Amino acid sequence: MSAADLVADGVAGVAGHAARVAVTGRPRRRVSTRLLRSELGLVFGRRRNQLALVVLAGVPILIGTALKLSGPSTEGPAFFARITHNGAFLAFASLVAVLPLFLPLAVSVVAGDAVSGEAQSGTLRYLLAVPVGRTRLLVVKYTAIVTFCLASTVLVAAVGAAVGLLLFPAGSTTLLSATPVSTAAVLGRLLLVALYVGAGMAAVGAIGLLVSVLTETPVAAMATTAGVAVLSEVLDAIPQLHAIQPYLVSHYWLQFGDLLRDPIATTGLMQGLAAAAAYAAIFGSLAWARFGGKDVSG
Amino acid sequence: MSILSGRARWAVPAVVTATVAAVIGTAVLSAEAAPPLPVRSAGELLVGLQQAAGTPLSGTVVETAALGLPALPNVGGHGTTDLTSLVSGSHTLRVWVDGPERARLALLGTLGESDVIHNGRDLWMWNSDKNVASHYALPAGRQDAGSGPPTAVLPSSLPSALPTALPSTPQQAADAVLKLIGPSTTVTTSGTATIAGRPAYELVLAPKDHRSLVGEVRLAVDAEKSVPLRVQVIPRGSTAPAFEVGFTQISFARPSAAQFRFTPPPGATVTQEQLGGTAGTPGATRHAAPDSSAATDPTARTVGSGWTAVVIGTLPTGTESGNGGDTLTALLRDLPTVPGHPGTRMLAGTLFTAVIDGDTIAVGAVPADLALAAMSRR
């Protein structure tokens, strides 16, 4: 996708914002959903974001096909041995596969672009000219980022479950605690896992939003956000740093395994959700403070 | 367009950050609170502890070991489901107990778990990473429920190569410590503590023999239920515990019976094991004493007594299935030798010293000279 395309995308989006808001005059509640829908259209309509989603959806297809061709094995990463007994576990294995890099990268691209993309293409000025407060604009931006986070995890989970159940039997299976469960129950847990991982990604999205407000170069914002996420994972893997690890953004991502125990072990999950909320609050408010006082020239 | 402008806007993220820090700080500090409780003597607490064995409960336990050991290959910290990994790092376990005959322990790893399920005469060990379930048939008519509380039959009684006899629940740790109470120990009470949100008394057990590496053992006992909530072992000359196992969350509601039922999942490798003997030696079944790993080794002897006892045993040959034989070999190769004792290698931790000569090992909570002396008397 060329730079010209990007600019065209941005202009079209902002023109949409401005036109819709202008028609209804003073902003009301309905206007805010319009602004959000327009922003969602922008995020999900952008070709590079669509490509990211396609790559994410390709992971379960790749793993499933490879496993089908190589036959059942007890070796491999987490959940691999279970897939051949119940295909739904392909979804969990896929989430584990995309969690370290693909998922944070996709979220970084969307979040890093949120404000800096508009600034670089010069559309931020027009966007701020419409009678919508900067606070609301930022809330709409972050809501779109969170939506993308949840959509990407649910997409991987859904494709994983669908491909898994297509290629492998839906036989009786067990959770990590060796408790037998039905496929329907596994799918229920899968949805919870997708939402939990999505919440973890929303924390990365908040970091991305702040970086995006700080710079007018979207590529820099994307790279910084992805770098922060990967750095957090590296620090989390160094045993000597265990004192700071509970405060790292990536520390609780793999805690989703607790949703596959019987009964669900809530302690770690609650810590993970609280950490994600804290990241969203701190970085969201920092972005708000910077954005509100920012001179927009671009 | 905004109520706040300029620098004033930055007060908002400052307040948000401060609030988050305050919430974290409160959570840390509230664990330290010492609740006011009516005075109880050490003797009363000890009687209560013995009567509370088998109290139905469920909860989450965090175990932390900083034994000063060298970094062991393949003996991971948090996240592994290998029960032998309990010797280093921090681990989270879930515990369910319902009377002396039913208990379940789950070591939570990242995306996996290891379970030990005791239900009547059946004892199952389950590892979700390896997809292996091992069944142990416990001897009939065990009448040691009074002396050996239920969790005492959990992992430490099982055959294993590495020093895995580290207690994994506060109950196990308390049992091990209470065995040492006798003329060699000073028992005192030391105020109160809040563990897992419950008020508790603290018992302090200190060895009278100052040669022991153990400075004191602090045992927190639930004020209402008399269940051990936390055990800390503090090395001599230190204030920070080298070993700690305690509840972070506990409930005294009777766990559901389903929690103690175990059926090997389809596709899992199921093995039948003999309790107290090496797997695959039929006809030579030895019944182990419930919680002494030394008793699983017929050649083990004890030199000395009480807190300075040194156990002398034979190392496993390193061929035992999946019990870390390779780890052990690799570890031994890297240990420093002892000056003046050719061929003798030593592993010195904060709480114990191990001296290895050939395939003989002497382990005790004693300084190196005592361990070497015990070794020379074998």
Side-chain angles (χ1 to χ4, degrees), chain A residues 169-196:
Chain A
S172 67
T173 187
T174 62
L175 298 171
L176 296 178
S177 316
T179 319
V181 284
S182 66
T183 300
V186 173
L187 293 178
R189 304 267 179 137
L190 177 61
L191 182 64
L192 292 178
V193 167
L195 295 178
Y196 176 82

Side-chain angles (χ1 to χ4, degrees), chain A residues 78-79 81-82 85 96 134 172 174 176-178 247 254 256-258 261-265 267 278 281-282 285-286 288-290 292-293, chain B residues 1-2 4 9-10 12-13 16-17 20 24 60 94 96 104 107-113 115 126 128 131 249 259 262-263 265-267:
Chain A
F79 304 120
R82 277 186 170 72
H85 294 287
V96 175
R134 289 188 181 194
S172 67
T174 62
L176 296 178
S177 316
Y247 308 105
L254 285 175
F256 78 74
D258 284 355
R261 306 185 199 282
D262 187 50
I264 292 172
T267 317
I282 292 175
S285 62
L286 283 170
W288 172 84
R290 177 79 186 102
Chain B
M1 55 139 270
S2 176
L4 298 166
R9 302 181 63 86
W10 292 95
V12 173
V16 169
T17 311
V20 169
I24 295 171
T60 309
R94 289 212 283 175
W96 295 265
R104 179 178 187 137
L107 169 61
L108 308 187
T110 308
L111 309 180
E113 70 180 61
D115 287 38
W126 158 248
S128 76
N131 211 17
Q249 174 262 317
Q259 214 47 253
F262 181 82
T263 315

Side-chain angles (χ1 to χ4, degrees), chain A residues 35-298:
Chain A
L35 188 66
L36 179 62
R37 270 185 292 159
S38 158
E39 177 68 22
L40 287 174
L42 210 66
V43 166
F44 287 96
R46 196 155 270 165
R47 248 169 258 154
R48 82 174 102 105
N49 295 352
Q50 291 169 346
L51 188 68
L53 290 175
V54 168
V55 168
L56 285 171
V59 170
I61 300 174
L62 203 69
I63 298 177
T65 315
L67 221 69
K68 185 72 181 175
L69 295 177
S70 67
S73 87
T74 53
E75 298 293 305
F79 304 120
F80 270 47
R82 277 186 170 72
I83 295 174
T84 43
H85 294 287
N86 190 310
F89 272 88
L90 178 60
F92 297 110
S94 307
L95 279 171
V96 175
V98 298
L99 197 46
L101 189 63
F102 287 163
L103 214 44
L105 198 61
V107 172
S108 301
V109 166
V110 171
D113 188 55
V115 177
S116 64
E118 307 259 17
Q120 195 196 37
S121 58
T123 49
L124 189 56
R125 214 167 23 165
Y126 302 109
L127 195 50
L128 292 176
V130 300
V132 173
R134 289 188 181 194
T135 305
R136 175 178 291 178
L137 184 62
L138 212 57
V139 168
V140 164
K141 287 279 182 193
Y142 188 57
T143 309
I145 294 169
V146 173
T147 310
F148 181 82
C149 294
L150 294 175
S152 52
T153 54
V154 170
L155 176 75
V156 173
V159 173
V163 172
L165 291 174
L166 196 73
L167 295 178
F168 303 101
S172 67
T173 187
T174 62
L175 298 171
L176 296 178
S177 316
T179 319
V181 284
S182 66
T183 300
V186 173
L187 293 178
R189 304 267 179 137
L190 177 61
L191 182 64
L192 292 178
V193 167
L195 295 178
Y196 176 82
V197 175
M201 288 304 129
V204 177
I207 298 174
L209 188 66
L210 172 63
V211 183
S212 180
V213 169
L214 293 177
T215 176
E216 293 188 358
T217 319
V219 174
M222 296 172 194
T224 308
T225 311
V228 167
V230 172
L231 178 69
S232 161
E233 292 180 71
V234 170
L235 295 180
D236 203 26
I238 299 174
Q240 284 77 5
L241 296 178
H242 69 88
I244 61 156
Q245 283 169 357
Y247 308 105
L248 293 174
V249 67
S250 64
H251 184 69
Y252 301 95
W253 288 354
L254 285 175
Q255 204 74 45
F256 78 74
D258 284 355
L259 283 164
L260 301 177
R261 306 185 199 282
D262 187 50
I264 292 172
T266 49
T267 317
L269 294 168
M270 287 304 153
Q271 285 173 345
L273 291 178
Y279 264 93
I282 292 175
F283 285 87
S285 62
L286 283 170
W288 172 84
R290 177 79 186 102
F291 189 55
K294 190 179 182 177
D295 271 343
V296 176
S297 53

